[in-house]
Amino acid sequence: MLIIGEKINGTLKKVGQAVLDRDGAFIQDLARRQAEAGADYIDVNAGTPAAREPEDLVWLVETVQAVTELPLCLDSANPKALAAALERTARPPLINSISGEESRLTEILPLVPGRAAGVIAMLLDDTGMPQGVEDRLRVAHRILERTRAAGIPDEQVYIDPLVMAVATQQDGALVALKTMRTLRAQYPDVRFSVGLSNVSFGLPVRTLVNQAFLTLALYEGLDAAIMDPLDRGVMGMLLAAEVVLGRDRFCRRYVGAYRSGHLGRPQ
Amino acid sequence: MLIIGEKINGTLKKVGQAVLDRDGAFIQDLARRQAEAGADYIDVNAGTPAAREPEDLVWLVETVQAVTELPLCLDSANPKALAAALERTARPPLINSISGEESRLTEILPLVPGRAAGVIAMLLDDTGMPQGVEDRLRVAHRILERTRAAGIPDEQVYIDPLVMAVATQQDGALVALKTMRTLRAQYPDVRFSVGLSNVSFGLPVRTLVNQAFLTLALYEGLDAAIMDPLDRGVMGMLLAAEVVLGRDRFCRRYVGAYRSGHLGRPQ
């Protein structure tokens, strides 16, 4: 599973300030620590107003690329910011994200072919947040019709089933899991990605709820997660889940992580 | 899910010695601690030679019942020991266990109706350990034919899908999960139970692997687990998994456990 490190997100106060202050050391430290912890992609979100976002996102891209060879995940809904950042990425990035909203489909999809490694697609559209599995499937069909028309192969489309916080919607996780299972049967090549921590919003000891959901989502075929690679609890459970799911041959990664002291738990 | 506390097991050296020494205080401490940690049943296994097992199991039953009102899980394949213990149980116990082995079916099934709350049935038979899902289904059909003929309703039969250690059989957990899913579709009322720690045999930090498997087994409808209720990691993950699976209304049990300091992690 691809680990997309979530920590360089300008909507978080300290990160946003670092973007405004051009505090490259702060950003690079976050990039390095996530890379060392096992991230496969580094998400970059400027979180600034649309007018200055292109410039800020380009700065983030260059700042992060100066310290890691990991590919990036360009986190913006702003086509101008995405287009500017795509000019500077050293390796094909993921684009985070489109949805079934017409403006995003129209303006962002043309940026993907030949330039991005893939695009994350959230299952919501201009009618708002989806209500259940059927609503999500309807949006997914629409998105995949459009990505295919844009020449993007299904294996570059990372569907985000939009998991709701279980604290406020009791079946929020189950709806996402069922959506994944249903779509996988219909689109065998499509990928799935989640914003992992959404499921635990409003609850204490969120890492435990994130871990339980991650395990179930992996069982249903999760391909990527936007998550905190510095959360040792989640990272350990990811390794354990892959062992249980028979995806870690001879348990090599699990035992290797143990031997190098990476199966510890947060205190 | 029913938590069957596994710690009073005479095949463990200290417990076996306590049985031989009639060290009631040692046994009662294990019973009390498991009850306080949230066990629903207390498993009792004398682990002594067949000739003295009836007497030892009766002693365990009376010793444990003196300090807890929890029902017991009589852990023996010895019909004489089970019959003697059933005479002394204050509340209907579970019987752990039968299998597809003819001798167990013939000698133990008649003890169940009207006396036990249920019987755990392991999916192996006189031909030995099962090889995969099909083999397990074949044994399950045979067992359920016999339990029905003995007048035991399906909801009192706890099928143990016999999870293999993933360290030696890569798909050991997946085979058990698929067996559960297939049987649930065919026998909607049957229950499932696992010996939780089998899955992690031979691996380091076993609790993590146990936690990942428990989460997946709950998703596939696990009803009971023979496990260590003193493992705070597993107990916390059980609560988190029930939240994610939408089985903890308003997250009351999870938040309650947090407030009473029970969502801690082992150091």
Side-chain angles (χ1 to χ4, degrees):
Chain A
M1 191 198 76
L2 297 177
I3 296 165
I4 305 171
E6 70 184 4
K7 298 198 80 79
I8 303 179
N9 188 322
T11 66
L12 303 171
K13 198 173 168 195
K14 282 187 182 177
V15 178
Q17 196 60 48
V19 172
L20 295 175
D21 296 346
R22 291 294 186 260
D23 182 352
F26 182 86
I27 299 296
Q28 290 175 335
D29 178 58
L30 287 178
R32 263 195 222 98
R33 284 162 58 206
Q34 293 183 95
E36 285 165 10
D40 298 294
Y41 280 83
I42 304 288
D43 192 84
V44 284
N45 179 319
T48 46
R52 59 170 293 169
E53 192 186 354
E55 188 186 335
D56 290 336
L57 193 59
V58 165
W59 177 76
L60 276 177
V61 165
E62 295 184 336
T63 300
V64 172
Q65 287 184 161
V67 295
T68 176
E69 302 212 326
L70 288 181
L72 304 181
C73 180
L74 303 177
D75 189 351
S76 169
N78 180 341
K80 288 202 180 94
L82 289 171
L86 277 164
E87 296 291 321
R88 312 297 182 98
T89 49
R91 285 154 290 275
L94 294 174
I95 289 179
N96 178 19
S97 62
I98 62 163
S99 67
E101 293 163 283
E102 186 55 41
S103 62
R104 295 215 193 180
L105 291 170
T106 308
E107 297 171 18
I108 299 180
L109 282 189
L111 302 173
V112 176
R115 291 199 273 180
V119 60
I120 296 172
M122 294 187 295
L123 295 188
L124 55 82
D125 66 8
D126 293 299
T127 65
M129 292 297 281
Q131 291 306 308
V133 175
E134 287 310 312
D135 228 16
R136 283 169 170 75
L137 297 178
R138 179 181 55 73
V139 179
H141 298 322
R142 174 178 153 85
I143 289 172
L144 285 159
E145 194 179 314
R146 297 290 290 273
T147 54
R148 287 174 172 184
I152 306 168
D154 285 1
E155 57 264 35
Q156 291 184 5
V157 181
Y158 289 76
I159 296 283
D160 180 336
L162 227 59
V163 57
M164 296 285 117
V166 287
T168 48
Q169 187 184 323
Q170 197 169 338
D171 67 351
L174 289 173
V175 163
L177 294 167
K178 189 170 178 192
T179 299
M180 288 172 61
R181 183 181 294 197
T182 310
L183 285 174
R184 178 66 85 201
Q186 293 176 34
Y187 303 94
D189 296 329
V190 86
R191 306 288 169 97
F192 294 108
S193 177
V194 294
L196 184 59
S197 62
N198 295 344
V199 68
S200 61
F201 185 79
L203 288 173
V205 203
R206 293 179 63 174
T207 183
L208 289 183
V209 175
N210 295 344
Q211 288 172 44
F213 178 65
L214 179 62
T215 301
L216 297 174
L218 284 167
Y219 186 56
E220 292 294 3
L222 190 71
D223 299 284
I226 302 171
M227 53 178 267
D228 179 3
L230 304 182
D231 181 334
R232 289 164 65 93
V234 168
M235 294 294 279
M237 189 53 59
L238 170 57
L239 288 162
E242 288 188 331
V243 163
V244 169
L245 293 169
R247 298 175 191 170
D248 183 1
R249 203 163 152 76
F250 303 121
C251 307
R252 271 194 196 123
R253 289 195 302 277
Y254 185 79
V255 174
Y258 168 68
R259 289 190 177 143
S260 59
H262 285 91
L263 284 189
R265 319 286 293 281
Q267 300 303 311
Chain B
M1 191 198 74
L2 296 177
I3 295 165
I4 304 172
E6 70 184 4
K7 298 198 81 79
I8 303 178
N9 188 322
T11 66
L12 303 171
K13 199 174 165 192
K14 280 188 182 175
V15 178
Q17 197 58 50
V19 172
L20 295 175
D21 297 345
R22 293 292 186 262
D23 183 351
F26 182 87
I27 299 296
Q28 289 174 337
D29 179 58
L30 286 179
R32 263 195 221 97
R33 284 162 59 207
Q34 292 183 97
E36 285 165 11
D40 298 295
Y41 280 82
I42 304 289
D43 191 84
V44 284
N45 178 320
T48 47
R52 59 172 294 172
E53 192 187 353
E55 189 185 333
D56 290 337
L57 193 59
V58 165
W59 177 75
L60 276 178
V61 165
E62 295 184 335
T63 300
V64 172
Q65 287 184 160
V67 294
T68 176
E69 301 213 327
L70 288 180
L72 305 181
C73 180
L74 303 177
D75 188 351
S76 170
N78 179 341
K80 288 203 179 92
L82 289 171
L86 277 163
E87 296 291 320
R88 310 300 181 95
T89 48
R91 284 153 290 276
L94 294 174
I95 289 178
N96 177 22
S97 60
I98 62 164
S99 68
E101 293 163 284
E102 185 55 41
S103 61
R104 295 214 194 180
L105 291 169
T106 308
E107 296 170 19
I108 298 178
L109 282 188
L111 301 173
V112 177
R115 291 199 272 181
V119 60
I120 295 172
M122 295 186 296
L123 295 188
L124 55 83
D125 66 8
D126 294 298
T127 66
M129 293 296 281
Q131 291 306 307
V133 174
E134 287 310 311
D135 229 17
R136 283 170 170 74
L137 298 178
R138 179 182 56 73
V139 179
H141 299 322
R142 175 178 153 85
I143 289 172
L144 286 160
E145 194 179 315
R146 298 290 290 273
T147 53
R148 287 173 172 184
I152 305 167
D154 286 0
E155 59 263 34
Q156 291 185 4
V157 181
Y158 290 76
I159 297 283
D160 180 335
L162 227 59
V163 59
M164 297 285 116
V166 287
T168 49
Q169 187 183 323
Q170 196 169 335
D171 67 350
L174 289 173
V175 163
L177 295 168
K178 189 169 178 194
T179 299
M180 288 171 60
R181 183 182 294 197
T182 310
L183 285 174
R184 178 66 85 202
Q186 294 176 32
Y187 303 95
D189 296 330
V190 86
R191 306 288 169 97
F192 294 107
S193 177
V194 294
L196 184 60
S197 62
N198 295 343
V199 69
S200 61
F201 185 79
L203 289 173
V205 203
R206 294 179 62 175
T207 184
L208 289 184
V209 175
N210 295 344
Q211 287 171 44
F213 179 66
L214 178 62
T215 301
L216 296 174
L218 283 167
Y219 186 56
E220 291 296 2
L222 189 71
D223 299 285
I226 302 172
M227 55 177 265
D228 179 3
L230 304 182
D231 181 333
R232 288 165 66 94
V234 168
M235 293 295 278
M237 189 53 58
L238 170 58
L239 288 162
E242 288 188 330
V243 162
V244 169
L245 293 169
R247 299 175 191 169
D248 183 2
R249 204 163 151 76
F250 303 121
C251 307
R252 272 195 195 122
R253 289 194 302 278
Y254 186 79
V255 174
Y258 169 69
R259 289 190 176 144
S260 58
H262 285 90
L263 285 190
R265 321 286 294 280
Q267 298 305 308

